């Protein structure tokens, strides 16, 4: 056996139909060329699912994909992806998450989990290092994530196990249901929670006790030290406020998604940004595995004055001035996307309502971006009389009504009444409602766009247009974040290109150079593209919705021609056909993707 | 007749309130958490203020002047409220 650092070369397969598990070795070469993350997901989508597979069919797979850096003791290395065929975009599905679960999986000796088939009755999986058990999960079905975590830790007798799960919304196949881990971290996008629910897999609990082997511990330590000793210069904003500390700046620039992206400024922005959260309801800052940046807000609100007290750390918990809601700190706090999607995007300036909405999305298991955006679409349809009280069961959908948003979240997660329509996502809902309501959709490839207006932010244009998942803001369509995705490294760390490379090399001992590192990302992108095209995506899907052709007061609209130019440039730069976006044969050969040629041949013409 | 330079130097300085946000908080004066007063010469611009606060000017820094977007050339006046942000994304 060669010396192996950063990974184990062990993929766990779990077949829920047959109730069996097995281990696969992909080989050392695979890990060096692909890293993990997106490439691991795309590898199995291309090789283990039939073309045209339905997202909710047992033939779909669900892949839990850390990368070679995940679990290394260095800031940012606590990330993993969750992927499969998406019920939202009908193509490549993936959400990424932080926290501790991914690192725990690595420490249990696994580089990924591929879930096949579907169980007949609710199930969960328990992994303790090398031991894997498929167990009955009937008692967990229908429960919110906090209860599931309590029950499992108790019954497994392992207070330190880490748990990932789909919420009640995933069980109900809400198309943008998320997979959460550690209660406050989510793989939010593309509906992977619904795929998990369709397999009747409620949770995966993991306990790992083996440190991931590291090639150059001293080198890695010096990178970790650099982060903690330069926190002030490089991560001050994140450290103090987490994301959302600059919403007022975005607003000044006229780029704050407001009222379903119709406007670029929200007058009450200072009531719902991360500064307001910190001043009123934030009780702590949390971290992901091994990260000294500690950028995760933890919020708490009490509904009644008599319950207001101090947290265990002595921080005062404030009360909802209207006495409506308690917000449980177990579910963390809102990131920028959640603040924006559940605040300005739906016109809500009621901070406690935003915090409650965020908590419910986590506990019930729906993506805050798609949730807020789908509600924003419905509110605009209501305003224009395209939806009426008859459709909503008597509910009014007025901009700015935080109580309505909270109520709708529960209805969506439970597919109750009018919530059943919204649980389909805005694009499918608009197709049902018709009457021109499609005109104010803000989806790309069926997925609701994140809270960065591409008219304001030039660098988001390419991300929304070409990200394999659709309306995704993570800029993982380029090598920088794409590569981090595949090795399991957080985008927020201000590592330079050289530092990222040093980090990977310290973990793995590979001695990669920049060119090799960029190819790692190019492979993942080409594979995800192949999968999308196999499933029917074409160039026509690489476009922004009509709303973005309209100008904002401070930013011009984006013409279809200007979008097309971005797309062509992107295809060509990645060695894909400049017209169709199919990775060319030469590119496939240069990247060593010959084993995926069958998928290329299966692309419908 | 005094030249313009001498003229502005002899005028009293303008008093501003400045708030720094996100990563720019590292340029806060010692012990300051919220907005703080700054005095700067009459006729000074946003660019001059950045320099006076020791903030290296990057294109990505957003400056608000009394609640509106300012440019680097915007002139500062007595009692102006200035807010500055570095961009923060993601989540
Ligand atoms: S910077 Fe924040 S999100 Fe990223 S790993 Fe650290 S704590 Fe987690």
């Amino acid at each position: 056996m060669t010396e192996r650092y950063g990974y184990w070369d062990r993929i766990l397969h779990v077949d829920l139909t047959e109730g069996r598990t097995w281990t696969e070795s992909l080989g050392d070469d695979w890990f060096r060329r692909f890293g993990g993350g997106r490439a691991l997901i795309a590898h199995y989508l291309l090789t283990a699912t039939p073309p045209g597979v339905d997202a909710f069919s047992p033939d779909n797979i669900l892949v839990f994909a850390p990368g070679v850096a995940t679990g290394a003791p260095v800031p940012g290395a606590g990330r993993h992806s969750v992927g499969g065929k998406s019920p939202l975009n009908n193509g490549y599905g993936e959400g990424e998450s932080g926290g501790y679960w991914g690192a725990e999986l690595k420490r249990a000796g696994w580089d990924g989990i591929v879930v096949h088939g579907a169980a007949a009755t609710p199930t969960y999986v328990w992994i303790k290092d090398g031991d894997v058990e498929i167990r009955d999960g009937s008692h967990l079905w229908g429960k919110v994530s906090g209860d599931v975590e309590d029950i499992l830790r108790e019954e497994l007798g392992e207070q330190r196990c880490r748990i990932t799960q789909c919420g009640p919304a995933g069980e109900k196949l809400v198309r943008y249901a998320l997979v959460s881990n550690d209660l406050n971290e989510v793989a939010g996008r593309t509906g992977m929670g619904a795929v998990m629910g369709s397999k009747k897999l409620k949770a995966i609990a993991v306990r790992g006790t083996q440190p991931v082997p590291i090639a150059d511990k001293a080198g890695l330590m010096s990178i970790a030290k650099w982060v903690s000793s330069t926190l002030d210069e490089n991560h001050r904003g994140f450290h103090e406020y987490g994301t959302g500390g600059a919403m007022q700046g975005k607003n000044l620039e006229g780029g704050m998604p407001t009222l379903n992206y119709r406007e670029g400024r929200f007058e009450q922005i200072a009531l719902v940004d991360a500064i307001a959260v910190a001043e009123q309801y934030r009780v702590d800052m949390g971290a992901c595995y091994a990260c000294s940046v500690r950028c995760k807000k933890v919020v708490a609100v009490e509904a009644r004055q008599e319950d207001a007290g101090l947290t265990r750390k002595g921080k005062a918990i404030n009360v909802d001035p209207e006495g409506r809601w308690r917000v449980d700190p177990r579910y963390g706090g809102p990131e920028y996307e959640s603040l924006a999607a559940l605040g300005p995007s739906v016109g809500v300036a009621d901070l406690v309502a935003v915090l409650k909405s965020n908590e419910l999305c986590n506990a019930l298991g729906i993506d805050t971006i798609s949730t807020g955006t789908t509600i924003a679409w419905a509110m605009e349809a209501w305003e224009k009389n395209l939806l009426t009280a008859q459709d909503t069961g008597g509910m009014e959908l007025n901009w700015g009504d935080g109580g309505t948003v909270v109520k709708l979240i529960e209805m969506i997660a439970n597919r109750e009444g009018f919530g059943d329509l919204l649980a389909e996502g805005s694009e499918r809902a608009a197709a049902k409602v018709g009457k021109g309501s499609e005109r104010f959709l803000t989806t790309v490839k069926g997925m609701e766009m994140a809270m960065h207006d591409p008219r304001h932010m030039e660098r988001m244009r390419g991300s929304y247009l070409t990200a394999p998942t659709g309306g995704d803001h993570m800029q993982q369509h380029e090598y920088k974040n794409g590569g981090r995705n595949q090795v399991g490294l957080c985008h927020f760390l201000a590592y330079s290109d050289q530092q990222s490379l040093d980090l990977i090399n310290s973990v793995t001992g590979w001695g990669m150079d920049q060119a090799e590192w960029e190819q790692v990302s190019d492979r993942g992108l080409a594979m995800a593209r192949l999968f999308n095209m196999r499933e029917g995506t074409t160039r026509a899907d690489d476009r922004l919705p009509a709303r973005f052709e309209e100008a904002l007061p401070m930013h011009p609209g984006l013409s279809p021609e200007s979008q097309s130019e971005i797309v062509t440039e992107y295809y060509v730069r990645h060695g894909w056909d400049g017209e169709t976006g199919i990775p060319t044969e030469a590119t496939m050969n240069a990247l060593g993707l010959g084993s995926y040629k069958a998928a290329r041949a299966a692309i419908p013409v | 007749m005094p030249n313009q330079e001498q003229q502005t130097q002899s005028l009293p300085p303008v008093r501003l309130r400045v708030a720094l946000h996100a990563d720019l908080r590292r340029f806060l004066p010692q012990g300051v958490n919220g907005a703080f007063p700054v005095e700067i010469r009459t006729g000074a611009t946003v660019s001059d203020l950045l320099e006076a606060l020791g903030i290296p000017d990057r294109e990505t820094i957003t400056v608000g002047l009394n609640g509106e977007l300012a440019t680097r050339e915007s002139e500062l006046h007595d009692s102006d409220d200035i807010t500055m942000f570095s961009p923060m994304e993601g989540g």
Side-chain angles (χ1 to χ4, degrees):
Chain A
M1 191 185 100
T2 47
E3 286 289 331
R4 196 175 276 143
Y5 301 102
Y7 64 99
W8 310 95
D9 193 15
R10 279 161 60 85
I11 302 293
L12 172 63
H13 290 264
V14 177
D15 187 326
L16 294 173
T17 304
E18 295 183 13
R20 71 184 181 102
T21 68
W22 68 97
T23 304
E24 181 190 4
S25 151
L26 289 170
D28 295 303
D29 183 51
W30 194 93
F31 285 91
R32 179 160 179 161
R33 296 197 311 126
F34 297 93
R38 166 158 56 206
L40 193 72
I41 295 163
H43 168 74
Y44 287 108
L45 281 172
L46 290 170
T47 57
T49 66
V53 61
D54 185 86
F56 295 143
S57 150
D59 291 338
N60 193 9
I61 52 168
L62 184 65
V63 185
F64 293 82
V68 291
T70 313
V74 67
R79 307 280 302 177
H80 71 278
S81 297
V82 183
K85 170 105 185 248
S86 164
L88 191 62
N89 69 21
N90 259 335
Y92 179 78
E94 183 193 333
E96 302 88 30
S97 186
Y100 294 84
W101 186 87
E104 193 77 15
L105 182 70
K106 285 288 292 284
R107 292 168 58 87
W110 301 102
D111 299 302
I113 305 174
V114 187
V115 182
H116 309 256
T121 53
T123 298
Y124 78 95
V125 172
W126 167 223
I127 300 170
K128 187 167 185 185
D129 290 320
D131 296 330
V132 182
E133 269 180 71
I134 302 173
R135 293 182 157 212
D136 175 43
S138 306
H139 56 309
L140 307 173
W141 210 242
K143 296 227 159 22
V144 298
S145 55
D147 292 348
V148 169
E149 184 158 301
D150 291 344
I151 294 168
L152 285 182
R153 285 193 167 160
E154 182 67 33
E155 95 182 28
L156 295 168
E158 271 287 1
Q159 285 306 314
R160 293 168 74 186
C161 71
R162 299 285 176 182
I163 295 161
T164 191
Q165 55 179 313
C166 70
E171 300 169 15
K172 300 255 167 54
L173 309 184
V174 176
R175 286 186 186 270
Y176 43 94
L178 55 76
V179 177
S180 73
N181 56 276
D182 306 297
L183 297 187
N184 58 5
E185 289 287 329
V186 302
R189 313 241 55 203
T190 70
M192 291 302 107
V195 174
M196 196 165 173
S198 76
K199 298 190 174 306
K200 292 226 162 40
L201 174 62
K202 181 66 175 174
I204 304 178
V206 185
R207 177 77 181 113
T209 59
Q210 312 155 63
V212 176
I214 302 300
D216 174 8
K217 285 187 185 154
L220 202 63
M221 184 90 78
S222 74
I223 295 170
K225 274 217 178 100
W226 175 83
V227 175
S228 54
S229 63
T230 63
L231 212 54
D232 201 41
E233 292 104 289
N234 296 306
H235 298 97
R236 172 106 184 217
F238 276 112
H239 183 61
E240 288 194 334
Y241 288 101
T243 56
M247 286 166 75
Q248 293 177 42
K250 207 183 205 17
N251 202 57
L252 278 170
E253 294 184 353
M256 175 55 59
T258 302
L259 306 187
N260 196 31
Y261 268 114
R262 203 164 62 184
E263 292 168 23
R265 274 199 176 169
F266 187 56
E267 220 172 285
Q268 302 105 311
I269 191 72
L271 299 181
V272 289
D273 69 351
I275 301 171
V277 174
E279 283 168 357
Q280 297 169 62
Y281 299 108
R282 195 183 73 196
V283 292
D284 205 357
M285 291 297 274
C288 301
Y289 175 80
C291 190
S292 49
V293 176
R294 299 186 67 81
C295 80
K296 317 298 293 187
K297 299 181 248 329
V298 179
V299 302
V301 184
E302 286 296 349
R304 305 180 314 170
Q305 193 61 49
E306 52 269 40
D307 297 324
L310 300 178
T311 64
R312 258 181 300 165
K313 290 187 182 168
K315 182 99 174 102
I317 301 177
N318 286 331
V319 176
D320 174 7
E322 295 183 40
R324 299 161 297 176
W325 298 298
R326 173 173 196 272
V327 179
D328 190 338
R330 293 187 83 183
Y331 296 105
E335 296 302 333
Y336 164 72
E337 301 298 333
S338 311
L339 287 169
L342 302 167
S345 176
V346 283
V348 171
D350 171 349
L351 183 56
V352 180
V354 173
L355 301 181
K356 185 67 192 174
S357 299
N358 179 68
E359 179 224 57
L360 282 175
C361 285
N362 280 4
L364 298 170
I366 43 177
D367 174 37
T368 53
I369 299 174
S370 284
T371 302
T373 304
T374 300
I375 294 174
W377 165 83
M379 285 180 163
E380 188 162 350
W382 172 267
E383 179 192 67
K384 295 188 159 79
N385 284 323
L386 306 179
L387 281 173
T388 64
Q390 233 173 359
D391 303 298
T392 65
M395 239 176 138
E396 295 190 6
L397 307 184
N398 296 317
W399 295 119
D401 184 344
T404 296
V405 174
V406 167
K407 180 80 199 117
L408 283 173
I409 287 170
E410 289 172 322
M411 291 168 66
I412 290 168
N414 294 309
R415 280 193 177 268
E416 178 196 323
F418 175 62
D420 192 38
L421 176 72
L422 300 188
E424 289 293 287
S426 52
E427 200 161 298
R428 285 176 177 80
K432 274 196 191 145
V433 170
K435 301 185 248 181
S437 65
E438 305 87 344
R439 275 201 321 273
F440 41 89
L441 281 170
T442 60
T443 49
V444 181
K445 300 184 178 68
M447 184 164 86
E448 290 75 14
M449 286 163 61
M451 295 290 111
H452 303 277
D453 196 312
R455 290 165 292 190
H456 166 227
M457 292 177 75
E458 199 180 330
R459 67 184 172 286
M460 284 295 163
R461 294 173 196 164
S463 191
Y464 288 132
L465 285 166
T466 63
T469 49
D472 191 309
H473 67 292
M474 298 295 278
Q475 299 176 67
Q476 297 179 137
H477 66 302
E478 299 288 1
Y479 93 86
K480 195 170 170 186
N481 287 355
R484 287 192 185 196
N485 164 308
Q486 285 170 237
V487 296
L489 195 55
C490 176
H491 301 349
F492 294 165
L493 269 299
Y495 295 134
S496 64
D497 285 354
Q498 187 58 47
Q499 282 173 309
S500 301
L501 195 53
D502 290 347
L503 190 156
I504 308 303
N505 285 330
S506 298
V507 172
T508 60
W510 285 334
M512 279 203 286
D513 61 17
Q514 180 68 21
E516 188 180 349
W517 169 229
E518 289 185 24
Q519 278 203 332
V520 171
S521 163
D522 285 348
R523 289 189 186 100
L525 284 164
M527 290 158 78
R529 179 76 186 175
L530 283 177
F531 179 73
N532 268 341
M533 298 200 78
R534 193 195 82 176
E535 298 304 296
T537 299
T538 67
R539 182 183 180 121
D541 299 299
D542 295 340
R543 58 101 192 106
L544 298 175
R547 167 129 296 170
F548 297 89
E549 291 171 34
E550 299 161 15
L552 284 171
M554 294 174 74
H555 305 283
L558 301 170
S559 68
E561 296 73 35
S562 71
Q563 296 177 34
S564 186
E565 269 171 38
I566 295 170
V567 170
T568 302
E569 187 276 335
Y570 181 84
Y571 288 172
V572 171
R573 186 155 46 79
H574 284 80
W576 303 354
D577 182 272
E579 271 305 307
T580 62
I582 301 176
T584 64
E585 243 187 284
T587 299
M588 299 277 289
N589 291 336
L591 293 174
L593 297 178
S595 54
Y596 303 108
K597 278 191 179 153
R600 190 171 182 277
I603 293 172
V605 276
Chain B
M1 208 177 116
N3 65 27
Q4 206 192 352
E5 180 87 347
Q6 284 163 339
Q7 219 171 40
T8 54
Q9 269 171 7
S10 60
L11 289 169
V14 294
R15 278 176 219 94
L16 316 167
R17 281 192 74 71
V18 178
L20 304 179
H21 295 289
D23 283 337
L24 300 180
R25 286 173 57 80
R26 63 184 270 245
F27 298 103
L28 285 172
Q30 196 91 43
V32 167
N33 195 29
F36 58 97
V38 172
E39 286 193 357
I40 198 162
R41 70 174 169 78
T42 297
T45 62
V46 166
S47 232
D48 299 325
L49 177 64
L50 282 164
E51 200 184 321
L53 295 171
I55 301 176
D57 192 1
R58 297 215 183 96
E59 233 177 85
T60 51
I61 295 176
T62 307
V63 182
L65 176 55
N66 302 323
E68 280 304 320
L69 187 65
T71 65
R72 296 297 184 267
E73 292 73 42
S74 300
E75 197 175 313
L76 303 169
H77 300 97
D78 213 39
S79 321
D80 277 348
D81 263 318
I82 318 288
T83 47
M84 296 192 185
F85 299 86
S86 59
M88 291 180 74
E89 285 159 18

